[in-house]
Amino acid sequence: MAAVDDLQFEEFADTATSLAANADATTISIEDPGETPKRQSGPSRGSGREEDDELLGNDDSDKTELLAGQKKSSPFWTFEYYQTFFDVDTYQVFDRIKGSLLPIPGKNFVRLYIRSNPDLYGPFWICATLVFAIAISGNLSNFLIHLGEKTYHYVPEFRKVSIAATVIYAYAWLVPLALWGFLVWRNSKVMNIVSYSFLEIVCVYGYSLFIYIPTAILWIIPQKAVRWILVMIALGISGSVLAMTFWPAVREDNRRVALATIVTIVLLHMLLSVGCLAYFFDAPEMDHLPPGTAAPNQTVIAAKYS
Amino acid sequence: MAEAAESPGDPGTATPRPLFAGLSDISISQDIPVEGEITIPMRSRIREFDSSTLNESVQNTIMRDLKAVGKKFMHVLYPRKSNTLLRDWDLWGPLILCVTLALMLQRGSVDSEKDGGPQFAEVFVIVWFGAVTITLNSKLLGGNISFFQSLCVLGYCILPLTVAMLVCRLVLLAEQGPINFMVRLFVVILMFAWSIVASTAFLADSQPPNRKALAVYPVFLFYFVISWMILTFTP
């Protein structure tokens, strides 16, 4: 009978579906206040929560949709704001380093690896490692080059560490700033499809400097030819990463401006590596003397001092 | 009633019963004093404890702090997974170690014109700013260790490297040469490994598991730089 059906207990479906049927129903949601600001970080929070918020017509969920590209929801004077820049796992950092070492033509570093999650961990610590790698390798290589000389007194040259730090950190932050400003200016004139945020540019530059760490260590080898080959290889790899990243950003522009931009980027990169090689690593002049003339000089000097 | 009503206006004729006269008999008894010293019923033992650390001799205070520092030194030298270093952190040990290291590493004033080793201030700044940077890094990555606890652990784990510095200084008194250098290299590498093991034993648990390597690498770099400064020290 109909009465029996009316008296049947009504199963309340999931909140989502029942609200989908009756969107105007008033609902009470008890949310843990601590979880709300963390909703956007950590994809493992559970997508069910986001569905509920969307159907509840929560204002924050609308903002979540719009702010999907920028997840900095905390004000800049809180600690959580800066934590969003370090939201990377170990494997992600390794993937990004791998991507900077193996530039695949056609694959954009930013699109492929960064994917709107720029981090500051990579750029900062790669630059720190590079500073110490260059200073230590320079010191070691100078020591090895002047090893036989009796007049050479070894000094650790600690002052060069601060110079290296200034140069590398200035390069890793000021050049992206200038490039970002330039791209923003061109964007206002010519509509580009691809545009990068400042942090993404800093990220690309930071990770592209990674190749110079093994290069600096290999620069200890006191052969000029070897050093210049290393410069070329490193410049080729990191320059191509940068060029392939920024070519889509300037492609729609005037041909000459686009080419000039890319050439400037690569030129500045080359300037950095050649400058570091010239300043921190002494030229290995001894190896250029032919062995015939060198040997009697050395034996004479050895006889004098023994 | 009538008497009471008339009593204010007529003081002389009748003896007016004072208001609240009966209360004095009821509430205030002669036995309970209302004047005199007020003693708060506290345990006298607490007051003794409070004044004991204030009135104790200076030697007791210093010895207590030194014993705490010494206990932590033992924990660093034999690193086990214990919470002592983290729970009662103090910065005396790191300060002593850093000052000792910087005093031994600074170059003399003789060859200060040449580009030599680091000055006292440079070593001091490197150690403290390096420790602060590593602490900030681990906090930004989501670690749940407090700022000063991390500084405490990093500072105390410089102890093996300070010992290495002492040994190197002694070895350098002997004649220079490749054997001298190999001995120093071996000692520094051993102490560097010891520092890394000790600090990761204390710090690794405070990091989220998928970011442990990201938090440990700066510690590695920090101790590597200090080891390099120790190894390249020339008197």
Side-chain angles (χ1 to χ4, degrees):
Chain A
M1 293 206 309
V4 178
D5 290 330
D6 287 337
L7 289 174
Q8 201 171 17
F9 184 73
E10 182 182 331
E11 283 290 329
F12 286 105
D14 196 23
T15 326
T17 50
S18 66
L19 280 170
N22 189 2
D24 293 328
T26 51
T27 50
I28 301 171
S29 71
I30 300 170
E31 236 180 16
D32 190 4
E35 285 187 21
T36 324
K38 289 196 211 139
R39 196 192 310 135
Q40 290 158 348
S41 68
S44 60
R45 289 278 165 214
S47 52
R49 195 168 199 65
E50 291 172 5
E51 286 173 9
D52 284 346
D53 288 325
E54 281 170 2
L55 287 165
L56 284 170
N58 202 345
D59 279 346
D60 289 340
S61 70
D62 290 338
K63 276 190 217 157
T64 314
E65 292 286 309
L66 292 171
L67 288 175
Q70 324 134 30
K71 22 184 204 62
K72 285 82 178 168
S73 56
S74 317
F76 70 90
W77 55 84
T78 57
F79 193 69
E80 284 75 25
Y81 176 72
Y82 298 101
Q83 263 183 327
T84 56
F85 300 140
F86 283 78
D87 195 15
V88 276
D89 293 336
T90 311
Y91 76 93
Q92 283 176 320
V93 172
F94 280 150
D95 278 343
R96 292 176 188 193
I97 291 178
K98 237 180 1 189
S100 79
L101 289 177
L102 306 165
I104 305 172
K107 294 266 181 75
N108 191 338
F109 181 78
V110 175
R111 284 288 158 262
L112 196 59
Y113 293 104
I114 298 191
R115 274 193 213 147
S116 70
N117 182 21
D119 70 304
L120 285 181
Y121 177 89
F124 183 78
W125 287 109
I126 290 178
C127 288
T129 313
L130 186 61
V131 163
F132 289 114
I134 285 188
I136 291 176
S137 306
N139 201 246
L140 256 184
S141 116
N142 290 350
F143 173 71
L144 288 175
I145 284 176
H146 299 285
L147 190 51
E149 294 170 21
K150 297 293 182 186
T151 54
Y152 179 74
H153 174 66
Y154 170 75
V155 283
E157 285 175 332
F158 194 72
R159 196 77 18 116
K160 294 206 167 168
V161 172
S162 33
I163 296 175
T166 314
V167 165
I168 288 177
Y169 274 102
Y171 180 82
W173 285 88
L174 294 182
V175 171
L177 186 67
L179 187 61
W180 174 74
F182 175 75
L183 286 177
V184 162
W185 174 60
R186 292 310 293 182
N187 250 353
S188 66
K189 297 202 165 177
V190 174
M191 199 54 216
N192 275 325
I193 299 177
V194 173
S195 70
Y196 299 124
S197 72
F198 172 60
L199 282 170
E200 287 172 347
I201 301 183
V202 167
C203 216
V204 173
Y205 263 88
Y207 280 104
S208 74
L209 284 177
F210 180 80
I211 183 70
Y212 286 110
I213 297 176
T215 309
I217 296 176
L218 287 175
W219 273 340
I220 297 178
I221 302 174
Q223 297 282 344
K224 234 185 177 134
V226 170
R227 287 182 179 177
W228 279 101
I229 291 175
L230 286 168
V231 168
M232 288 298 132
I233 294 176
L235 188 65
I237 293 179
S238 59
S240 60
V241 167
L242 289 176
M244 281 193 290
T245 304
F246 290 108
W247 179 247
V250 293
R251 192 168 38 195
E252 274 88 34
D253 209 343
N254 188 357
R255 200 75 179 169
R256 277 196 219 141
V257 170
L259 277 176
T261 313
I262 302 292
V263 166
T264 313
I265 292 175
V266 175
L267 217 65
L268 280 173
H269 221 61
M270 188 173 75
L271 204 64
L272 176 78
S273 63
V274 170
C276 283
L277 177 63
Y279 183 72
F280 292 101
F281 295 82
D282 284 348
E285 300 120 356
M286 297 291 287
D287 295 303
H288 278 278
L289 291 174
T293 53
N297 282 344
Q298 285 171 359
T299 49
V300 164
I301 294 172
K304 255 200 229 169
Y305 283 112
S306 63
Chain B
M1 271 48 84
E3 290 175 352
E6 286 172 6
S7 58
D10 194 1
T13 53
T15 53
R17 212 177 136 80
L19 288 171
F20 308 117
L23 283 177
S24 65
D25 299 328
I26 299 171
S27 61
I28 301 178
S29 146
Q30 304 292 334
D31 300 329
I32 302 177
V34 286
E35 59 179 56
E37 289 181 23
I38 297 180
T39 59
I40 303 172
M42 225 170 64
R43 281 178 303 166
S44 57
R45 203 185 302 162
I46 293 181
R47 208 194 271 176
E48 263 175 1
F49 187 70
D50 275 343
S51 62
S52 67
T53 59
L54 206 54
N55 290 338
E56 69 178 2
S57 64
V58 174
Q59 182 189 5
N60 277 354
T61 314
I62 293 181
M63 286 314 293
R64 192 177 57 234
D65 281 332
L66 275 181
K67 275 197 203 131
V69 168
K71 205 162 77 158
K72 293 204 187 71
F73 278 172
M74 283 301 125
H75 272 98
V76 169
L77 286 178
Y78 302 107
R80 284 180 302 272
K81 277 198 191 302
S82 81
N83 277 338
T84 316
L85 218 65
L86 290 179
R87 221 180 19 231
D88 321 309
W89 60 266
D90 74 276
L91 291 180
W92 283 115
L95 182 67
I96 296 173
L97 288 172
C98 179
V99 167
T100 314
L101 195 63
L103 275 176
M104 288 196 288
L105 269 178
Q106 64 172 347
R107 60 173 180 252
S109 55
V110 178
D111 56 339
S112 58
E113 318 89 46
K114 283 191 287 186
D115 204 15
Q119 297 277 17
F120 178 91
E122 286 172 339
V123 177
F124 203 80
V125 160
I126 281 188
V127 169
W128 284 105
F129 271 97
V132 165
T133 309
I134 295 174
T135 307
L136 279 179
N137 175 66
S138 80
K139 282 187 79 71
L140 284 168
L141 282 173
N144 59 356
I145 194 173
S146 99
F147 184 75
F148 287 109
Q149 281 173 345
S150 172
L151 277 187
C152 169
V153 169
L154 287 168
Y156 270 103
C157 291
I158 296 184
L159 175 67
L161 288 171
T162 311
V163 169
M165 182 74 219
L166 284 165
V167 171
C168 281
R169 260 260 149 106
L170 289 173
V171 169
L172 278 171
L173 290 175
E175 57 157 285
Q176 304 255 7
I179 302 180
N180 195 308
F181 177 73
M182 294 308 286
V183 169
R184 282 187 294 141
L185 181 68
F186 174 72
V187 168
V188 167
I189 288 180
L190 185 67
M191 292 301 170
F192 166 65
W194 201 333
S195 285
I196 299 271
V197 165
S199 60
T200 48
F202 294 118
L203 286 179
D205 289 333
S206 67
Q207 295 299 321
N210 50 347
R211 295 181 185 182
K212 272 209 203 328
L214 295 185
V216 167
Y217 170 71
V219 177
F220 171 85
L221 188 65
F222 176 62
Y223 288 128
F224 182 78
V225 169
I226 296 182
S227 314
W228 177 257
M229 287 198 295
I230 291 175
L231 188 60
T232 61
F233 173 74
T234 49

